[in-house]
Amino acid sequence: MNSSSNVNQSSGAATFCLLGAVGYSHSLDTCVLEVVVILFLTVLIISGNLVVIFVFHCAPLLHHHTTSHFIQTMAYADLLVGVSCLVPSLFLLHYLRDLNEELTCKVFGYMVSVLKSVSMASLACISVDRYIAITRPLSYSTLVTACRLRVCIVLIWVYSALIFLPSFFGWGKPGYHGDIFQWCADSWKTSPGFSTFIVAVLYAPAALTVCFTYGSIFRICRQHTREITQRHARFSSQLDGEKGERGERCEGCPDKRYAMVLFRITSVFYVLWMPYILYFLLESAGLYQHKVASFLTTWLAISNSFCNCLIYSLSNSVFRKGLGRLFSPLFPSCLSCTDAKKALVPVSPRPDSRCQV
């Protein structure tokens, strides 16, 4: 804290660094460590989410689930987060010094808060969608329609924009995303009332919804697995038992596997965001305040914008196929080798293709 203050006082506002003297370079007259971290995350976020968006357009099978609309909404929101992160990067590199610092940091902090709120609300809607798909499979198509999905996505954007709007009128601070700017770090203070309001209308409802829906989904899946095992043991005919088991597994298999992929995305989201939320509450209550902690927790949370692409590529076989199709023009030799290997492998009987995710 003291080292950061000394650097700022001796060198002026142009050399303000949240990480203090550790991240400041006198030769370049900028906060090198902060610039490196922010630019690195910016490149990852923009490139990763562009890949997600292009793969969704190139892989029609990914549109089999209605959750693809929410996944794409998150991808567009995260892409905008990456683009908006160019603002503090350019500011630290002295390209935007002519802009009004107060207005710039307010707009940047508000935009990032709204975009991350869209991601959080989309994850909650995804969990509700999967809960309806598993608990009410027969009426799912009538309950979840394309029109209702569009309305829900519009409401997510409008709701996210409205709940952070009071921060522009002097009621609290939406987050620490704009603390790269000295005015945001020193003059824009958090408010216990506004922080409690954000927790009550966003963080808590989203987290409780996710916990309830995924808890119910996995409880139902365990119950179905137990019933299948008992039914298989009850029948003496192994052939009939295998047929019955195969048919029932294929009915629940896609939803369970797809729910696992979405659960991983949701878990990583909250793991990366939990330090930020805890610091937000502690700092608002006046219990703990440190500029380095605010920088680290804030950009750890923002790094989540890249994680969806990574999780999808590791967990979803359809996404991997779409990714291979997207990059096949760049690596035609690898694609031809893969096709040749597939042609040499004899075709064997496989269970219902609905079980493949």
Side-chain angles (χ1 to χ4, degrees):
M1 291 286 289
N2 294 333
S3 61
S4 176
S5 301
N6 294 336
V7 171
N8 298 335
Q9 290 174 359
S10 61
S11 302
T15 56
F16 171 75
C17 296
L18 281 173
L19 298 180
V22 176
Y24 177 71
S25 171
H26 291 279
S27 59
L28 299 176
D29 190 26
T30 189
C31 310
V32 175
L33 189 56
E34 295 175 34
V35 171
V36 170
V37 171
I38 296 174
L39 281 178
F40 177 70
L41 289 178
T42 300
V43 172
L44 286 181
I45 292 170
I46 293 177
S47 58
N49 286 284
L50 282 176
V51 168
V52 172
I53 292 170
F54 286 139
V55 169
F56 266 94
H57 284 288
C58 295
L61 287 177
L62 287 170
H63 297 276
H64 174 70
H65 293 280
T66 54
T67 49
S68 64
H69 297 282
F70 294 114
I71 295 294
Q72 290 180 81
T73 300
M74 290 173 56
Y76 282 111
D78 290 336
L79 176 62
L80 291 176
V81 169
V83 173
S84 63
C85 287
L86 290 172
V87 174
S89 303
L90 294 175
F91 184 83
L92 290 172
L93 294 173
H94 309 293
Y95 287 106
L96 300 178
R97 293 295 180 180
D98 295 334
L99 296 179
N100 184 287
E101 186 175 339
E102 177 182 350
L103 180 62
T104 303
C105 82
K106 276 189 171 184
V107 172
F108 173 72
Y110 172 78
M111 283 184 59
V112 175
S113 298
V114 169
L115 293 172
K116 299 314 296 180
S117 173
V118 169
S119 296
M120 193 173 292
S122 297
L123 287 172
C125 291
I126 287 173
S127 67
V128 173
D129 175 83
R130 291 298 88 200
Y131 177 77
I132 297 174
I134 290 179
T135 57
R136 299 185 179 181
L138 298 179
S139 57
Y140 175 78
S141 58
T142 57
L143 292 174
V144 182
T145 62
C147 181
R148 290 177 180 176
L149 282 174
R150 295 189 190 97
V151 171
C152 184
I153 291 172
V154 171
L155 289 177
I156 287 174
W157 283 93
V158 173
Y159 182 77
S160 299
L162 290 178
I163 61 175
F164 288 102
L165 197 58
S167 61
F168 267 111
F169 300 98
W171 188 32
K173 181 178 181 179
Y176 309 101
H177 314 97
D179 282 7
I180 294 297
F181 306 93
Q182 187 171 7
W183 187 91
C184 273
D186 296 338
S187 303
W188 202 7
K189 302 298 181 182
T190 55
S191 167
F194 183 72
S195 301
T196 304
F197 169 75
I198 293 299
V199 171
V201 300
L202 178 61
Y203 297 153
L208 291 175
T209 300
V210 167
C211 291
F212 171 77
T213 51
Y214 281 114
S216 301
I217 287 171
F218 293 125
R219 186 176 64 251
I220 293 170
C221 288
R222 283 197 303 269
Q223 182 180 355
H224 286 177
T225 303
R226 192 182 309 116
E227 291 176 355
I228 291 171
T229 304
Q230 292 174 354
R231 189 172 303 177
H232 177 66
R234 188 181 307 163
F235 291 106
S236 58
S237 174
Q238 184 176 1
L239 181 60
D240 294 339
E242 287 178 354
K243 288 182 179 178
E245 182 183 358
R246 180 180 298 175
E248 293 184 45
R249 279 185 180 174
C250 287
E251 184 178 352
C253 180
D255 287 329
K256 182 179 179 180
R257 292 187 182 180
Y258 195 64
M260 280 300 300
V261 175
L262 299 175
F263 179 72
R264 292 188 192 108
I265 293 175
T266 306
S267 300
V268 170
F269 182 92
Y270 280 100
V271 166
L272 295 178
W273 270 84
M274 194 54 64
Y276 171 82
I277 295 174
L278 291 177
Y279 179 80
F280 184 60
L281 295 175
L282 291 173
E283 199 271 343
S284 300
L287 300 176
Y288 180 75
Q289 183 177 6
H290 200 284
K291 291 181 178 179
V292 176
S294 70
F295 176 84
L296 294 178
T297 56
T298 297
W299 291 96
L300 178 66
I302 290 178
S303 68
N304 172 79
S305 296
F306 166 72
C307 293
N308 292 341
C309 172
L310 186 62
I311 296 173
Y312 257 114
S313 61
L314 295 176
S315 304
N316 195 307
S317 60
V318 179
F319 184 87
R320 288 196 298 270
K321 291 178 182 177
L323 191 63
R325 183 180 301 177
L326 179 64
F327 289 103
S328 59
L330 299 177
F331 307 100
S333 59
C334 295
L335 183 65
S336 60
C337 292
T338 304
D339 293 337
K341 289 181 179 179
K342 288 182 179 179
L344 293 174
V345 176
V347 179
S348 59
R350 299 179 62 184
D352 194 330
S353 60
R354 290 178 297 172
C355 287
Q356 307 301 320
V357 178

